[in-house]
Structures are given as C-alpha cells and as structure tokens.
Amino acid sequence: MSDNCVFCRIALRELPTELVHESPNTVAFRDLRPQAPVHVLVIPKPHHPDVATLAAADPALAGEVLSTAAAVAEAEGLRADGFRLIFNTGRYAGQEVFHVHAHVVGGAPLGPMLSS
Ligand code: DGP
C-alpha cells in the first residue's frame, strides 16, 4: 500500500469500481474513461509504480498480471478479433497513475498503435 495511491485503494476495495476479475495477487476493473468498447485495467495488488520496476522487483507477479490480462481478454470476448495490451510507462507515455496497470482494450478496430 502506498499512501494516496488510488489503485492501491481500489485493490483494497476502499474505492468503488466495476470489478471484472480478482485473483489472490491481481485485480481487474473497468477504466473510468474508456477509450474502446472494452477497456479494463489489470493491476497487481502490491504497489509498484510501473511495469519496469515491477518486472525487476517481482517477475513472477509481472507474469501474473499478463496472465490475468489474457484471462480478462478471453472473458470479455476479445480473443477472436484481437485486442491491445498497453503499459504506459513514465512521462513520455503519458502515465497518469503510478501504480502499474495494463490496459486491455478491444471490442472494435483500434486504429494505428500510435497517433501521428
Ligand atoms: P495511464 O495514463 O496509463 O496512467 O492511465 C490511467 C487510467 O486510469 C486512465 O485511463 C483513467 C483510469 N483511472 C484513473 N483513476 C481511476 C479510478 O479511480 N477508477 C477507474 N476505474 N479508473 C481510473
């Protein structure tokens, strides 16, 4: 738990959210500002600021985040047509919340990976 971290508070169920999946070490919930018909965030329950620090500190947990993201994509019906998995990391990527999270987005054609 990191003080004032909104995603730690979601993991602890201190803030309301639309939960779509929970495992002992991960939580998945719908993004507040969806960018696609399906837009789910997957987080590890322990606080790590971004995917690089998570991968260095706890590679097994990083793997659990990936497998949870795959399970969410399957459960949301995204496997057949595909989906995008995004880890915004740091300032140039526009990361807003510094508790590592995977965006699982899909449900429609997503366009180019980067806006020009
Ligand atoms: P990023 O730029 O990768 O850090 O994206 C953060 C995302 O988190 C953004 O799409 C909006 C979402 N978000 C921020 N606060 C909340 C919240 O309190 N609840 C939910 N469900 N999503 C949130």
Side-chain angles (χ1 to χ4, degrees), residues 1-111:
M1 172 76 181
S2 177
D3 287 349
N4 300 320
C5 171
V6 66
F7 286 0
C8 282
R9 296 189 65 200
I10 285 174
L12 290 169
R13 306 284 195 94
E14 289 179 4
L15 291 178
T17 189
E18 192 183 341
L19 220 64
V20 299
H21 187 91
E22 183 167 19
S23 73
N25 297 317
T26 66
V27 173
F29 52 95
R30 297 201 192 279
D31 195 289
L32 202 58
R33 302 192 306 267
Q35 306 287 315
V38 175
H39 188 167
V40 174
L41 302 176
V42 178
I43 64 169
K45 290 180 180 176
H47 184 85
H48 296 274
D50 60 42
V51 71
T53 51
L54 170 63
D58 194 339
L61 183 57
E64 280 190 57
V65 171
L66 288 184
S67 53
T68 299
V72 166
E74 182 79 42
E76 295 286 324
L78 303 182
R79 282 287 283 127
D81 291 317
F83 62 95
R84 193 168 285 155
L85 190 60
I86 301 163
F87 288 92
N88 288 322
T89 306
R91 184 163 60 97
Y92 275 15
Q95 185 177 359
E96 292 175 16
V97 178
F98 285 81
H99 180 129
V100 58
H101 50 281
H103 296 255
V104 181
V105 288
L110 296 169

